[in-house]
Amino acid sequence: MTTATATLEALHATDISLLIGSKVHLDKAALLSGEYAADLRELLERRGVIVFPQINFSDEEQIAFTRTMGRFLTEMEGQEVYNITLDKSLNQKSEYLKGSLYWHADGTMNKVPIGVAILTSKVLPTWGGNTEFCNTYAAYDLLPEEEKKQIEGLRAMHSAWTSLFYYEPEPSYAKLEEMIRIGEVELPLVWKHRSGRKSLVLGCTAHHVIDMNPTQSTRLLVRLRDWATQPRFVYSHEWSVGDAVMWDNTGTMHRAMPYDPDCGRLLHRTKTEGEEPIV
Ligand code: OGA
Ligand code: MN
């Protein structure tokens, strides 16, 4: 029996598709015990996304489980559990969530992006609102060798203001300045992880490839995003209340599918500190 098969059996896990996603059917007590943490981390790095169908974590349980996955990271304003919702009474900064409708990884503006994130569903959308994930390890691995060579060593400028134009094409000048203040960062197109694996670094924060003609740069960024988000690399999660979905933020991108902005859709998010910068 291979290690991978042994892990699947220990976790009562089933693969969702060939290249991304597993479902884990352990009960809550087993997850909270921490006993399976190493197996879950191994599975997550390999599969990108783990779904715990209707596990029904309370906030305290979600926090406790997240702590078994790494060093717990609170939000900038100190919340341990973050409300993902467009309802202003539950999230005053919900404006920023408009960018989550486009492919991205979390915290790429930070020195070290976040490691693992967990969403749990509290209120369902009336329509739309799946969360989609793509496997950026698999997307890199399956690139033709020629293309791997072509992008080796290339770097792109990333900023929050770039994503602003996805959802607000004609922002006020004041709004643009506010987003520019968040900063920008140059990142490689290919992340060489300590493990030796490589993943693509793309998303709606990527503005241009350094030292490349603008048309060629846009062409390359769009082509790679289009490649990385083709159906074989993607898992689309349709929420049931109580589901928990955990993703490896270092080897995936994700996005919310459009949903009724007034429907009260609510997810609770927790996360861990990343363990390595993007290099
Ligand atoms: C996030 C995020 C997507 C969603 O929580 O970081 O991007 O489906 N969420 O709401
Ligand atoms: Mn996100």
Side-chain angles (χ1 to χ4, degrees), residues 62-191:
Q62 185 172 344
I63 292 167
F65 175 66
T66 307
R67 287 189 193 285
T68 70
M69 288 293 116
R71 279 166 64 116
F72 193 87
L73 191 62
T74 54
E75 294 294 325
M76 280 194 294
E77 289 93 25
Q79 305 94 322
E80 291 187 307
V81 175
Y82 192 67
N83 288 330
I84 303 289
T85 179
L86 297 175
D87 180 345
K88 282 242 161 28
S89 68
L90 293 174
N91 183 345
Q92 284 157 7
K93 299 210 163 165
S94 63
E95 177 74 15
Y96 287 106
L97 294 177
K98 292 185 182 162
S100 68
L101 292 165
Y102 307 95
W103 288 109
H104 67 281
D106 292 340
T108 43
M109 295 293 121
N110 310 349
K111 284 228 156 26
V112 177
I114 69 160
V116 166
I118 298 170
L119 281 174
T120 56
S121 170
K122 304 296 171 181
V123 178
L124 294 179
T126 46
W127 55 264
N130 277 20
T131 305
E132 301 203 323
F133 301 88
C134 71
N135 187 335
T136 53
Y137 280 122
Y140 175 81
D141 289 341
L142 292 169
L143 271 178
E145 287 307 314
E146 195 58 21
E147 298 213 32
K148 287 184 184 166
K149 279 203 204 93
Q150 199 190 326
I151 63 173
E152 169 93 36
L154 292 182
R155 299 172 71 76
M157 189 59 87
H158 289 250
S159 57
W161 68 259
T162 301
S163 60
L164 169 65
F165 286 91
Y166 280 71
Y167 57 89
E168 198 176 331
E170 295 185 334
S172 68
Y173 181 63
K175 179 78 200 184
L176 176 65
E177 284 292 345
E178 178 193 323
M179 297 300 279
I180 287 176
R181 274 197 291 278
I182 298 173
E184 51 186 24
V185 54
E186 205 183 289
L187 299 171
L189 284 183
V190 179
W191 181 349

Side-chain angles (χ1 to χ4, degrees), residues 188-199:
L189 284 183
V190 179
W191 181 349
K192 300 185 180 71
H193 298 255
R194 278 179 203 150
S195 63
R197 297 179 75 199
K198 293 179 183 173
S199 64

